[in-house]
Amino acid sequence: MEKPVIILGSTGLAKAALEIFNSNSIVVYGFLDDDEKTHNSEINSVTILGSTDDHGFTKLIGQKCEAFVATDDNKLRKKYVEYLNETRKIMPMNAVHHSASISDSFGIGHGNFVNAGAVLSNDSKMGNHNVINSKVIIEQEAEIGDFVQIGAGSIINTKVKIENEVFIGSGVTIVAGVKIEKGARIGAGSVVVGDVKKGQTVFGNPAVEVK
């Protein structure tokens, strides 16, 4: 039987993560959040126990509990991951919805969120701490870095390479072989037919740079 999990964060992805763990029969011990106003309140009968640096609860992580970082704010996500790495000597676990389809040859790292209906195809891989929303399709031989967010219903075609910290809105199509460099942002509904440079924001069909 898997260890219970403590979820860091109580907004945004937190409720979805709770539902994912429940769907996989993994017990959520509680939430930790730095907003004191939330403490001792509940999300679906699971208590927000205290702050993310409350040693009374964090000491359980790595011993009696796993941890998952539930925020789509990359700055905060990095902060929590660094804290877990340095103080608890662990990586966060993955939260993968039971209805997601993941090929046996898809390589997946740590701390990833994969929501309902996502399809992660053969011979592709992704790193750590990514947010893959509902019904995202990642086709064969694609590469996804770390701290990438992909919006619901987006399609990442064959041999696409997405570097770290890229944001992709909902309903985006990225055609085969395209490279999206670090920190780029792709607007919702865009069709990306060519490479996107580091830090660029693009939008449209076909997607063009937005200044």
Side-chain angles (χ1 to χ4, degrees):
M1 184 174 178
E2 295 192 57
K3 294 178 183 177
V5 58
I6 291 176
I7 297 176
L8 277 66
S10 66
T11 60
L13 294 180
K15 187 173 182 180
L18 172 62
E19 291 174 356
I20 285 173
F21 290 126
N22 286 341
S23 78
N24 290 317
S25 299
I26 297 173
V27 173
V28 175
Y29 183 87
F31 298 91
L32 298 178
D33 195 286
D34 293 330
D35 183 357
E36 293 184 4
K37 295 177 183 176
T38 66
H39 295 173
N40 299 314
S41 62
E42 294 184 347
I43 301 174
N44 292 1
S45 302
V46 178
T47 304
I48 302 172
L49 302 166
S51 299
T52 58
D53 59 356
D54 187 328
H55 184 65
F57 297 111
T58 59
K59 68 181 181 182
L60 301 174
I61 296 172
Q63 298 180 16
K64 297 182 178 180
C65 293
E66 302 285 356
F68 179 75
V69 176
T71 175
D72 53 11
D73 179 331
N74 263 351
K75 185 176 180 181
L76 192 56
R77 199 172 181 84
K78 287 180 181 180
K79 174 187 172 184
Y80 290 160
V81 169
E82 185 177 343
Y83 174 79
L84 292 171
N85 290 168
E86 291 184 356
T87 66
R88 304 312 307 160
K89 310 301 182 187
I90 70 154
M91 287 285 274
M93 69 184 300
N94 291 316
V96 179
H97 197 279
H98 70 90
S99 70
S101 174
I102 303 180
S103 168
D104 289 342
S105 62
F106 187 97
I108 186 169
H110 299 275
N112 295 293
F113 172 90
V114 181
N115 213 345
V119 177
L120 311 185
S121 301
N122 58 286
D123 302 314
S124 292
K125 61 182 179 180
M126 69 177 174
N128 306 311
H129 320 303
N130 299 298
V131 176
I132 309 299
N133 284 293
S134 301
K135 298 185 178 179
V136 167
I137 297 174
I138 299 175
E139 293 286 9
Q140 295 86 359
E141 298 181 60
E143 295 183 27
I144 314 295
D146 299 334
F147 294 99
V148 171
Q149 297 184 42
I150 304 179
S154 290
I155 301 172
I156 313 301
N157 277 290
T158 303
K159 296 185 178 180
V160 166
K161 183 173 182 179
I162 299 173
E163 295 186 347
N164 297 348
E165 300 172 39
V166 168
F167 174 86
I168 297 171
S170 299
V172 169
T173 298
I174 301 178
V175 303
V178 163
K179 181 179 181 180
I180 312 295
E181 295 186 1
K182 182 178 179 179
R185 299 179 65 84
I186 316 297
S190 297
V191 177
V192 182
V193 299
D195 293 352
V196 180
K197 299 299 183 185
K198 181 177 179 179
Q200 275 189 331
T201 298
V202 301
F203 176 74
N205 180 9
V208 295
E209 185 175 10
V210 178
K211 298 292 186 181

